[in-house]
Amino acid sequence: MITKMPPVVAGLLFVTGTTVVMGGVMTYNAGAVRVAVDENRPGGDHVHLFVPAVMIPPAMNLIPEKELQKHAREIRPWLPAIKIASKELAKCPDGILVEVIDSNEHVTITKRGRALEIDVKSPDENVHVTVPLGMVYSVAEKLEANSPPV
């Protein structure tokens, strides 16, 4: 037997479904910050974090104002360069931007899609970090807004 769903329930299901879909679209469009650290020893730690980039700028509101202003003041001279670099790198073709190889480490910084990928391979650990360029720009803007005038 099929029964009709009350309009309130149907409305709640519609709003919930739409919110989930829109959240997924926003996360897909903005990308995600990914951090993976794997220690190369028996029983070594393996830390893997995946955070949707859209969550980072709002999460900065949880940082105490005094701390945020302190760090914003320290990075203030670099903010214009960070903002320009993040916008211009997004326009560049994909590829390796920096590669350093020595006897113990291999470090690469690669532009892939709309993100920077930093990889460090050493005898002790392997580290992989992915940072969406749009998030870098948004964080720089937020820091700029919280940086007291010099």
Side-chain angles (χ1 to χ4, degrees):
M1 174 189 213
I2 298 176
T3 60
K4 274 187 119 179
M5 189 179 306
V8 173
V9 173
L12 285 173
L13 286 173
F14 176 76
V15 170
T16 302
T18 302
T19 301
V20 168
V21 169
M22 291 304 294
V25 168
M26 287 175 59
T27 299
Y28 175 79
N29 282 333
V33 175
R34 179 178 166 235
V35 178
V37 180
D38 297 305
E39 290 184 331
N40 296 329
R41 62 180 172 80
D45 290 327
H46 302 283
V47 178
H48 294 249
L49 301 172
F50 184 87
V51 180
V54 295
M55 293 178 64
I56 303 295
M60 290 175 68
N61 292 327
L62 301 174
I63 300 170
E65 189 174 341
K66 185 177 178 180
E67 283 297 310
L68 187 61
Q69 286 181 352
K70 174 186 160 197
H71 295 295
R73 187 174 29 259
E74 291 172 3
I75 199 168
R76 184 181 183 96
W78 300 101
L79 291 174
I82 292 169
K83 288 169 62 176
I84 290 168
S86 63
K87 278 206 161 206
E88 294 304 315
L89 278 171
K91 299 174 189 175
C92 292
D94 291 357
I96 294 175
L97 303 172
V98 176
E99 184 171 35
V100 178
I101 302 171
D102 70 16
S103 60
N104 289 322
E105 291 185 333
H106 183 192
V107 178
T108 57
I109 300 175
T110 306
K111 192 268 184 174
R112 187 167 321 216
R114 297 177 296 181
L116 286 180
E117 294 182 353
I118 300 107
D119 286 296
V120 180
K121 292 181 172 90
S122 74
D124 297 329
E125 62 191 0
N126 294 327
V127 178
H128 176 83
V129 178
T130 302
V131 181
L133 291 163
M135 188 214 64
V136 171
Y137 187 86
S138 296
V139 168
E141 279 191 319
K142 189 142 185 92
L143 287 170
E144 195 171 57
N146 284 283
S147 176
V150 186

